[in-house]
Amino acid sequence: MSGTQIHVITLAEALPEHFPEVLETLSALANLCRQEEGCIRFDVYVDSTQPYQLNTIETWRNREDHQRHLDSAHVARGVLSLIGKMKGLPHIRILRPISELSE
């Protein structure tokens, strides 16, 4: 199992008419994700200048834990419940420290 933490930033935009429901879904999902093995951080933010823009910032112990998270039933349910309530697809960035570039 890889010992390098990974950081994930997800950018998404809720449709205005579904914004309260999207917030509720993401809040519930965040609470479940925080309980997962290997989850160090999972926070949901609203952009202060674009109120329907949502961001998650996550830190996982390693890639394997993050993949297990992506494969979980609660993530699948959450994603399915957001269909038709979001503007386009989310933009997901998986980041690694620059110290890994020399390895």
Side-chain angles (χ1 to χ4, degrees), residues 31 34 50 66 90-91:
N31 287 330
R34 289 182 190 120
Q50 299 176 37
H66 181 246
H91 180 72

Side-chain angles (χ1 to χ4, degrees), residues 4-79:
T4 303
Q5 286 184 1
I6 63 164
H7 306 274
V8 181
I9 298 173
T10 302
L11 308 171
E13 185 173 350
L15 294 171
E17 63 272 21
H18 294 291
F19 188 68
E21 186 179 352
V22 168
L23 283 183
E24 184 178 321
T25 298
L26 290 177
S27 293
L29 185 59
N31 287 330
L32 290 171
C33 294
R34 289 182 190 120
Q35 297 173 39
E36 289 182 60
E37 180 182 348
C39 180
I40 296 168
R41 175 183 183 179
F42 195 107
D43 297 311
V44 182
Y45 298 90
V46 176
D47 190 301
S48 62
T49 61
Q50 299 176 37
Y52 302 114
Q53 289 278 336
L54 300 158
N55 302 282
T56 65
I57 298 177
E58 310 166 40
T59 303
W60 294 89
R61 182 176 51 194
N62 55 47
R63 287 188 183 277
E64 290 81 5
D65 289 333
H66 181 246
Q67 188 59 54
R68 187 171 35 256
H69 155 74
L70 293 175
D71 295 338
S72 69
H74 59 270
V75 169
R77 281 191 304 272
V79 168

